[in-house]
Amino acid sequence: MPYTIRNQSCLGCDNCRLQCPMGAIKIENNKYWIDPSLCNDCKGYYPKPQCATVCPNNSPIPLQAKKGRCKVEPREATSPDLFANGRTNFFASSIVIWEGCNILAQRSSLTWEIDDGGRFFYRRQINQGKGEIIFHIADSPHENITELEQLENIDIRAACLHLVLAAYATTLDQPWEQIFTIDDRQIEKYLGLEKRKDLSKFFKLNLIRKLFQQACSLLVSVKWFPQGRIKEFSFAGKPLWHLQEMKNYFQEDKDGCQYLTGITFKVKVGIWAKHFLNRQGCKDRRAFYQYGNLPKTLLTNVMSIWQQHEGTARLMLWLLFKVKMGKDQRIMVPTLMRIAYGEEKVAIASTHRHNRKRLLRTFEKDLEVLNHYGIKVVFDPVTYPTEIQPLWAKLIDIPEDPDEALEFWINDAGANNRLTDTGPRGKWNQLMNARILSFELPPEWEYQITKSDRKPRENKYKKNNKSTSGLLGEKICQARKKLSLSQRELAQLAGKSQSWIRDIENGRLKVKVRDQGLLRKILDIA
């Protein structure tokens, strides 16, 4: 059982703090307190708790449940709450944030390298090697934890907190210079922890603190290439999020024992925001301002399924950024498997039959969970035919009417290939060449913040503006699909980049007069 300190009898001799092997005894406002998340009764170090042994006044006592009324410390004011409309909020969605989210979600499943100093790092090449992004993990305050153990101990839920910080970054005009303040009550609300009555307040506070420390442990280095008017820039080893201050709040009982009841965090956005979340710089075409919509349900869904369906949680977090680039982008099944389970597991499954069968069942179950939460898979009928699709996907088309359902099963029983037949031989090899056409998203994912919901300074960045100069983005998209052209194929025919076509269709760019005639000719638009 963790210990606490009665401050009424504490002499402040500091003997207990020096003897504690876990570093659990701390000083707040000139008062000693024991962090119960670190205290382990000195097990593995001493036969008895050292704080109680060396204290001349027997101030350390076992931590008991609070009884009666307690004196509560006043809290510092925080930044305004997110999700004002109850559904979505803007969030920074640049590649720096995306890769940071991938690291927190996939952890050691990614391909990590070791530099000359023996430190682990993750590298992402940009634009065929013209640029790169490198991530490191900051040193742990615990000397007995290696860098690899620190990486493996990252909680996937830290990715949700990472997205919350990315949402707060969009509320600031110059986030790389300003500080925002959030507390445990706000985070509980965003992550759905306030509904978990089975978790104690202490457990929630300990979890939130751990997730914060893990999200703020990422160091990023960027080497960016010249892009239009944006000049080349680089920076090395900068924190993704600066945790400026973490302040604890306590309740004190009649014996002077302090109980942790709240935490406030002050955070400053890293220098990356000066290049990727710069409103004025984007207006002057010397920086980017890349953002998207963060659905609140994504955070609560990941928090609820992360243990039973970690692969689904990883896919949800990855798709949040992927669908921002265009819902109709085709995705290969091996890519989804690597995101959900890591390259090592996929490689082992390719050579071991038992692992292959287990991974196939897990993958089909994860797709079913995605479908349950409204992220519906659209299979490519050519490369992903019905024969190799999951059983749950085949059962979707069964009629609800009893008579029609009976006729359906009678016809299925007489067919050459029945619905409940096992997968064909070579199913794994077929899946390795299969692809997903798109994902149909739930309404809250596609919901765009309306003019009344958003703040005035963000009005000019309205994402759902589909109008272009004389040629509608929707019209271009419809004409392209009518001709069965992908965005990449249309870009090649027009001599443009795929991102240019995507931004035109999403209404983020206007078609210049000289390009309108070219698109009308290619797409046969009158």
Side-chain angles (χ1 to χ4, degrees), residues 451-463:
K451 184 176 180 180
S452 60
D453 292 330
R454 68 176 66 224
K455 297 180 181 180
R457 67 172 179 266
E458 294 169 337
N459 197 34
K460 60 183 178 179
Y461 295 95
K462 191 174 181 181
K463 188 177 176 181

Side-chain angles (χ1 to χ4, degrees), residues 173-271:
D173 292 324
Q174 293 182 325
W176 60 93
E177 294 181 353
Q178 299 169 279
I179 294 175
F180 60 87
T181 304
I182 54 180
D183 65 9
D184 60 284
R185 293 175 295 189
Q186 291 175 306
I187 298 171
E188 282 187 33
K189 191 189 326 180
Y190 303 149
L191 303 185
L193 291 174
E194 85 281 4
K195 299 179 182 178
R196 294 291 304 273
K197 305 303 180 183
D198 58 317
L199 302 179
S200 65
K201 183 65 176 179
F202 159 68
F203 181 89
K204 293 179 182 179
L205 290 173
N206 188 33
L207 173 63
I208 291 172
R209 177 167 51 187
K210 182 184 73 171
L211 298 182
F212 236 107
Q213 292 171 339
Q214 291 179 353
C216 296
S217 67
L218 297 182
L219 304 177
V220 59
S221 304
V222 174
K223 180 182 178 183
W224 204 260
F225 55 97
Q227 222 173 338
R229 296 185 185 179
I230 300 176
K231 299 180 180 179
E232 179 182 357
F233 62 87
S234 63
F235 52 87
K238 302 297 182 181
L240 196 61
W241 309 105
H242 296 268
L243 183 55
Q244 301 287 320
E245 181 184 0
M246 184 171 60
K247 187 174 182 181
N248 299 311
Y249 293 90
F250 301 91
Q251 286 182 352
E252 186 173 302
D253 62 14
K254 61 180 180 180
D255 295 326
C257 297
Q258 291 188 321
Y259 299 85
L260 184 66
T261 57
I263 310 177
T264 299
F265 305 90
K266 289 187 177 181
V267 183
K268 184 179 178 182
V269 186
I271 192 63

Side-chain angles (χ1 to χ4, degrees), residues 19-63:
Q19 291 295 325
C20 180
M22 300 300 295
I25 303 177
K26 302 177 182 179
I27 304 175
E28 293 271 352
N29 300 324
N30 296 322
K31 293 183 178 181
Y32 285 81
W33 75 287
I34 299 178
D35 189 342
S37 65
L38 299 177
C39 179
N40 68 344
D41 294 350
C42 296
K43 290 181 179 178
Y45 296 92
Y46 302 101
K48 294 182 180 180
Q50 289 299 290
C51 56
T53 302
V54 301
C55 181
N57 277 12
N58 298 322
S59 294
I61 60 174
L63 181 65

